[in-house]
Amino acid sequence: MLQEYVDVLIIGAGPSGCVSASYLHKNGVKIKVVEKTKFPRLVVGESLIPRVMDHFAEAELFECLDAMNFEKKLGARFIRGEEICIFDFSNKFGEGWDWTWQVPRADFDNTMAQEIIRKGIDLEFESEVISVSFEGKNSSTVVKDINGNLKEIHAKFIIDSSGYGRVLPRLLDLDTPSKLDPHSSIFTHVKDNNRPEGLEGTQISFDILETQVWLWVIPFSNGNTSLGVVGPTDFINSLSKNKDNREALNNAIKLSDFYIKRFAGVDFLFEPVKLENYSRSVKKMYGDGFALTGNSSEFLDPVFSSGVAFATESGMLAAKLCLKESQGITVDWEDEFTGYMKRGIAVFTTYVKEWYTGNLQTLFFHQPEDPDVKQKICAVLAGYVWDENNPFVKKHENVIKNMAHLLKNGQ
């Protein structure tokens, strides 16, 4: 069997893997990236949040992405019947980027993958991890290419950025049930022929059909728009008696008073994809010789578009800690990696839970608006969930439910 020797093996060439690879490469680390699929490929997670821009800039991937002229996302709109709440990222608490992108992930991910190849990083597409073994922190990973050829890759460290593939969680029995209730989604892309002019045509929106059911509308700069419905798995399954994803999504669109005229009867560009019970968690986020990043570790819910942000946050952090360790610096992975990531994940988990209880929606749509409250919530939605100067971060476990209780009781 062919043998390869590298400093760091990265599994997966999505945003997390590319951020890790690019950062380590510019710091002189010998990298190998293996990716099971062929790019470009379809993947969900098309709405980003501003925090990701810090990571793309630091990993020197911003310029190649900016050149693609993806649709700029300046905020987000939430719709509930005739009520509308708009968050403007430029009007948030604290520092940080005030815009990001709405992206067809096939193009977005491929742009980054081709850029890291251009930088000289060894990226191998259509190569599947078959097995992995560890001797101390050193690993031996068997990979099978598209022709069935096997190769053994020896690495001093593995960063698993395999996303929904969840390679190491599956091989090392690290999966554990999510703490969130089971939700599912169905999505596709459409040619947005009825798109209005101006901001209305380009603004990302979340249309609340019921307290726990919502429709996403994510316009792209190429004239297409991503449409998806999210809700409790039982509800999503009830949208079609025949379990027909096309019928289910069409029925969801009919429930939207706001969007039915724009999207009723529109042709789907591909057969709608269903993601069932998508929330994921793991028993641990690292071990001797490896770290789990992005959806390989935790995936919460798409309602606040946190997926790519946690992917790039954990990818960048894992790369930095891996580099420190390679330089002989002691790293406390429990505190510096798991502890740090869990703090941000806990904040977003609270917001997801309180969204589905309706408490957060009470804050969103209450009139008159409280500008100070809105700015602090906006900072969380922008991804700055480690800033404990923000009381809506520091006191996340209680502040939303307490404030919603006061509003509901007219206090």
Side-chain angles (χ1 to χ4, degrees), residues 46-50 52-53 70-78 87-90 97-103 199 202-206 217-219 302-306 381-382:
E46 301 145 331
S47 167
L48 310 182
I49 56 178
V52 303
M53 308 300 272
F70 294 117
E71 192 67 55
K72 282 192 173 182
K73 176 181 173 183
L74 306 177
R77 176 173 65 176
F78 296 86
F87 287 94
D88 177 352
F89 290 140
S90 69
W97 286 73
D98 57 14
W99 65 275
T100 183
W101 292 297
Q102 296 155 199
V103 297
L199 180 62
T202 60
Q203 188 167 43
I204 180 173
S205 296
F206 303 86
V217 176
I218 307 173
V303 65
F304 301 126
S305 307
S306 64
L381 301 188

Side-chain angles (χ1 to χ4, degrees), residues 53-87:
M53 308 300 272
D54 296 293
H55 308 135
F56 295 140
E58 190 170 8
E60 299 181 353
L61 294 171
F62 174 82
E63 288 187 5
C64 71
L65 293 169
D66 195 42
M68 294 295 291
N69 293 315
F70 294 117
E71 192 67 55
K72 282 192 173 182
K73 176 181 173 183
L74 306 177
R77 176 173 65 176
F78 296 86
I79 302 165
R80 186 173 68 180
E82 296 184 356
E83 300 172 287
I84 292 179
C85 173
I86 298 175
F87 287 94

Side-chain angles (χ1 to χ4, degrees), residues 8-195:
V8 179
L9 171 65
I10 297 174
I11 305 172
S16 178
C18 284
V19 163
S20 294
S22 187
Y23 179 85
L24 288 169
H25 176 75
K26 78 173 184 176
N27 282 283
V29 179
K30 185 178 181 183
I31 303 297
K32 172 80 174 186
V33 182
V34 293
E35 165 59 49
K36 183 178 178 180
T37 64
K38 180 181 180 180
F39 278 25
R41 52 86 166 97
L42 178 70
V43 66
V44 75
E46 301 145 331
S47 167
L48 310 182
I49 56 178
R51 175 59 179 157
V52 303
M53 308 300 272
D54 296 293
H55 308 135
F56 295 140
E58 190 170 8
E60 299 181 353
L61 294 171
F62 174 82
E63 288 187 5
C64 71
L65 293 169
D66 195 42
M68 294 295 291
N69 293 315
F70 294 117
E71 192 67 55
K72 282 192 173 182
K73 176 181 173 183
L74 306 177
R77 176 173 65 176
F78 296 86
I79 302 165
R80 186 173 68 180
E82 296 184 356
E83 300 172 287
I84 292 179
C85 173
I86 298 175
F87 287 94
D88 177 352
F89 290 140
S90 69
N91 187 22
K92 67 181 182 302
F93 176 87
E95 300 297 319
W97 286 73
D98 57 14
W99 65 275
T100 183
W101 292 297
Q102 296 155 199
V103 297
R105 282 287 301 278
D107 299 334
F108 185 77
D109 289 13
N110 192 46
T111 298
M112 284 189 288
Q114 296 305 319
E115 176 66 10
I116 69 169
I117 291 171
R118 188 195 68 77
K119 289 174 181 287
I121 294 170
D122 181 6
L123 167 53
E124 193 173 300
F125 291 108
E126 297 181 281
S127 291
E128 179 182 4
V129 173
I130 302 300
S131 67
V132 61
S133 60
F134 289 90
E135 186 173 334
K137 293 186 177 182
N138 294 319
S139 60
S140 298
T141 302
V142 177
V143 175
K144 182 171 69 174
D145 69 17
I146 191 174
N147 298 314
N149 300 313
L150 298 179
K151 173 168 47 184
E152 190 169 28
I153 302 172
H154 302 271
K156 300 171 186 174
F157 200 86
I158 297 177
I159 296 177
D160 183 357
S161 301
S162 59
Y164 287 114
R166 301 178 67 78
V167 172
L168 290 188
R170 178 169 41 83
L171 292 176
L172 303 180
D173 188 28
L174 299 177
D175 277 314
T176 193
S178 171
K179 296 177 182 177
L180 295 171
D181 292 334
H183 281 69
S184 297
S185 68
I186 300 174
F187 81 103
T188 189
H189 293 173
V190 302
K191 190 70 177 176
D192 200 351
N193 295 321
N194 298 320
R195 179 180 290 184

Side-chain angles (χ1 to χ4, degrees), residues 220-233:
F220 302 137
S221 58
N222 62 8
N224 297 337
T225 289
S226 176
L227 288 181
V229 61
V230 178
T233 299

